[in-house]
Amino acid sequence: MMLSDKELEYLKELENNREIVYLLNTRECELISKLIRSYKEIQRQLRALQISKETD
């Protein structure tokens, strides 16, 4: 399942929102950051695959 752009923006807002970060523990904050990095990496790999297919 891919995140929508809106969901990704929501995660980024969570990551940068100091009030929410204060309420979350360190592990939860790390999880949010990891989700964002993983999602961006998946998107990058999918774009690379698409470009690869288009050049074949």
Side-chain angles (χ1 to χ4, degrees):
M1 177 184 84
M2 295 296 287
L3 294 173
S4 69
D5 289 341
K6 189 173 188 175
E7 289 167 328
L8 181 60
E9 282 305 313
Y10 178 66
L11 278 177
K12 288 178 184 176
E13 285 175 24
L14 276 179
E15 184 181 37
N16 295 321
N17 186 325
R18 292 293 155 226
E19 290 174 15
I20 291 175
V21 168
Y22 177 76
L23 296 173
L24 298 175
N25 65 36
T26 302
R27 183 176 291 160
E28 291 166 329
C29 293
E30 288 172 356
L31 176 61
I32 289 171
S33 293
K34 191 172 184 177
L35 275 171
I36 292 171
R37 285 192 307 273
S38 296
Y39 181 72
K40 286 181 176 179
E41 178 60 21
I42 290 168
Q43 281 185 320
R44 188 194 65 73
Q45 290 177 7
L46 286 173
R47 278 194 301 272
L49 278 172
Q50 187 176 9
I51 291 169
S52 177
K53 281 185 175 181
E54 288 173 359
T55 57
D56 284 349

